[in-house]
Amino acid sequence: MSSRRSRSRQSGGSRITDDQINDLVSKLQQLLPEIRDRRSDKVSAANVLQETCNYIRNLHREVDDLSERLSELLATTDTAQAAIIRSLLMQ
Amino acid sequence: MTPKGVTLNTNSHKIKFARRFIRTLLKMRKNAPSSSSIEEIRKRSQRIKIAAYSSMAHAVGSRRAWSRAILFKLRNRARHHGMMRRRSMKKRVIKNDPPGDQSQTNKLRQLVPGGKAMDMCSLLEETAHYIRSLSTQVKVMQTIADHFSK
């Protein structure tokens, strides 16, 4: 689905240039706490991609841990606490 | 309301995600108020995890390839159980990756939903968006957990 769309964008004559890729890679770098502050010419694209993978894996792990924690908490919460959470919704 | 097509509005995604996710949590709690066996907790944490990814995909909507991929998977979840398990689906990989980054790019494709079918530019764009959404997701889940444990 999505590939068809993005391919048609490409086939409009404009090949993806190295500049475009570099631009996107440095945008990605800005999002990575580990290498955000490093100068972009000091970090290779492969490096950014590797850090990106690590970062996504960490975030996935955090979601796993938090799901577990929430599941445990859900067993022990009382109605009053649920009301507090519900009130968060209204803010 | 902001018009469609403008840059990512993380804040509105955050609120939409939080609303949807909390609603699911409260529903789970209501339906199984005193289940605290280890097995139950484990099963429920799996459901919470799916709810979290699903809520975020819904909050982002179908304008992004990664969220479309998640929503698509969810729709087929009834048939193929275990949505978050990586399946060895043979999907065609579009090859215009920069040389040398091949293995890193492939790893990234495994991690970003729908990544296997993206060209390099889309993959990078979608990855950036996915990372931002994931961090929002984690932050909100953290906030909720902290509130629950008070």
Side-chain angles (χ1 to χ4, degrees):
Chain A
M1 253 190 316
S2 55
S3 61
R4 216 178 301 142
R5 186 177 304 173
S6 44
R7 273 217 291 188
S8 65
R9 188 181 62 194
Q10 256 175 267
S11 62
S14 56
R15 281 283 299 153
I16 296 169
T17 63
D18 283 356
D19 282 351
Q20 269 175 297
I21 301 278
N22 285 337
D23 193 42
L24 288 167
V25 168
S26 51
K27 272 191 190 137
L28 213 47
Q29 192 193 332
Q30 300 302 311
L31 297 171
L32 306 169
E34 286 285 315
I35 54 169
R36 185 184 286 152
D37 300 324
R38 266 185 248 167
R39 275 178 51 186
S40 55
D41 54 338
K42 299 267 187 223
V43 190
S44 72
N47 215 316
V48 173
L49 292 180
Q50 193 183 1
E51 279 302 326
T52 305
C53 290
N54 291 341
Y55 191 48
I56 293 178
R57 275 192 212 103
N58 279 340
L59 288 168
H60 283 165
R61 213 169 298 133
E62 276 189 74
V63 172
D64 287 357
D65 293 347
L66 283 164
S67 300
E68 221 168 283
R69 199 173 140 206
L70 282 169
S71 183
E72 280 162 16
L73 288 167
L74 224 49
T76 56
T77 33
D78 56 34
T79 323
Q81 278 164 314
I84 295 168
I85 306 291
R86 202 174 284 119
S87 74
L88 281 174
L89 274 174
M90 305 307 166
Q91 282 171 13
Chain B
M1 282 287 277
T2 42
K4 281 190 174 185
V6 288
T7 45
L8 159 77
N9 191 341
T10 327
N11 218 29
S12 87
H13 290 166
K14 186 176 174 178
I15 292 162
K16 275 189 205 162
F17 164 72
R19 287 225 168 112
R20 205 175 252 272
F21 182 59
I22 291 170
R23 215 178 294 136
T24 315
L25 281 181
L26 291 176
K27 218 184 284 169
M28 275 184 206
R29 188 188 155 276
K30 211 164 112 193
N31 293 342
S34 57
S35 56
S36 52
S37 74
I38 288 169
E39 180 63 9
E40 270 302 316
I41 287 176
R42 200 188 54 79
K43 269 192 205 155
R44 192 169 50 212
S45 76
Q46 197 61 25
R47 273 186 287 145
I48 290 173
K49 182 170 127 182
I50 292 171
Y53 285 109
S54 143
S55 300
M56 191 38 114
H58 274 106
V60 170
S62 56
R63 274 184 294 144
R64 284 281 160 183
W66 72 260
S67 54
R68 276 201 301 275
I70 290 184
L71 293 171
F72 182 75
K73 262 191 228 169
L74 283 169
R75 240 170 265 137
N76 294 328
R77 191 157 56 102
R79 273 182 293 152
H80 313 280
H81 217 64
M83 159 240 175
M84 284 302 157
R85 291 266 162 279
R86 293 279 161 218
R87 250 157 239 289
S88 56
M89 272 193 295
K90 291 270 178 288
K91 268 196 183 165
R92 101 203 101 100
V93 173
I94 295 161
K95 289 199 171 86
N96 47 17
D97 305 350
D101 297 345
Q102 209 62 252
S103 66
Q104 289 306 334
T105 313
N106 285 339
K107 275 182 204 153
L108 193 57
R109 288 186 193 282
Q110 307 286 324
L111 288 168
V112 178
K116 282 172 196 152
M118 289 175 200
D119 65 72
M120 192 60 189
C121 268
S122 310
L123 179 67
L124 294 174
E125 277 166 0
E126 292 292 327
T127 302
H129 193 278
Y130 184 57
I131 286 184
R132 269 179 285 178
S133 303
L134 261 186
S135 340
T136 306
Q137 186 179 317
V138 166
K139 260 180 242 156
V140 172
M141 288 177 87
Q142 188 84 57
T143 310
I144 296 169
D146 291 347
H147 267 278
F148 264 128
S149 45
K150 250 178 214 165

